[in-house]
Amino acid sequence: MRCEVTDDLALGAPIRWHLTTAGHGQARLYREGRAANRQHSTTTLQRARYRIKYLDELPAGIDADDLRRLDEALVRELDRPAPAPKRTAILAALAHDIGAGQRHTSPRAFSLAHTRNTKTWDDAIRILRESGVPTALAWAVGLRGQSRLGIAGPITALVGGHHRPLDGLGVVLLPAATADLRLELRSKNLIFVENLQAAEALNEVLTPSGQPPAILYHAGMPSHDILKHITTLADQADRVAIAPDADLGGTRIVTAIWNSLTKSAQERSVICDIGMTPTHTPQEPWPPDSPVWADLRNMLSSPAVALANGCLTRGYPVEQEGCIVESMIAYLGTEPMVQD
């Protein structure tokens, strides 16, 4: 390293540096390693895309739109400036298992089958959610159960000519692909949340209000079947609140929901940033080198721009369980009734 020399003959600020022979060798090895990793990642992702493109038949409960969103997630990884090896491996493993018709008994069994360790991919469900993969695809390979939606409040389910009001039953879980299932809204307000505990908490607090909203729980990234019910209910509501977790997965989820709504329903809908509640609990910040930052910046051109900007400003995720009630009471402009 060459440095300036001060008037008193001491070393001043650096002005130039040169790699030693050993440094050149290390830089070359680093470049070759990056190139090899990039090539491996590209090959893995391209094979995964091919695997789901030529399926003989779709798995039960899976729609072509679900596979399209998985393919879009694979393409995003191909376009990523620096490979994300773990995310790439999990997405590719999911595509492989869907193509092979493989179903595991649990998330840990999924991890064991692909990494020989049950805990390597403990966060597979979170990574798939952040990547925008429909929950139905994760369920299809054994990462949880069947594609279900949860309903609470003034909604009537119509099945086989029978009308079944769901009021007073808490959160009722229904198979999303139930034949002839239609949902009839009997409230002006409709709230979409992605976590069961959040739906239960909202229903418990808001039911005594006299004019409770209807609540639909969609378990993360909604499948094609769930989106159809979301669209149908939103068309019947005067006001629609879409309230996911305030994180990367939430921005992808809310974008999918928003794009499924009709134009008139979009005009009556709002995307809620639950991270705006003053009492939420801050979480661990995303690491500075996390790909979450770049992905959130990309979401600034999506319908979830305000939510993505809020996430970037805070720098950490906000899960809805801790503040969904406060957030939705503020949205509805009502206070819960005091119970004895």
Side-chain angles (χ1 to χ4, degrees), residues 6 57 100 106-107 114 122 145 154 159 167 185 194 197 247 257 288 294 318:
T6 64
E57 60 179 339
S106 68
H114 292 283
D122 265 353
V159 184
D167 314 49
L185 183 67
E194 63 168 297
Q197 292 82 1
D247 58 12
I257 291 176
V318 180

Side-chain angles (χ1 to χ4, degrees), residues 37-113:
N37 288 339
R38 165 58 72 185
Q39 182 58 47
H40 175 73
S41 176
T42 299
T43 301
T44 299
L45 291 165
Q46 288 174 338
R47 287 176 176 171
R49 293 189 69 197
Y50 182 87
R51 190 88 189 191
I52 61 174
K53 184 177 181 180
Y54 297 105
L55 290 178
D56 293 333
E57 60 179 339
L58 295 176
I62 300 302
D63 186 272
D65 284 345
D66 297 329
L67 289 182
R68 177 182 55 79
R69 294 218 292 274
L70 173 55
D71 186 65
E72 290 172 351
L74 293 167
V75 170
R76 281 193 292 269
E77 293 307 307
L78 281 167
D79 294 339
R80 193 181 295 281
K86 187 174 185 179
R87 189 192 303 250
T88 293
I90 290 174
L91 287 169
L94 176 66
H96 173 274
D97 290 348
I98 290 172
Q102 177 68 44
R103 182 177 176 85
H104 305 277
T105 57
S106 68
R108 288 197 167 184
F110 173 73
S111 177
L112 179 64

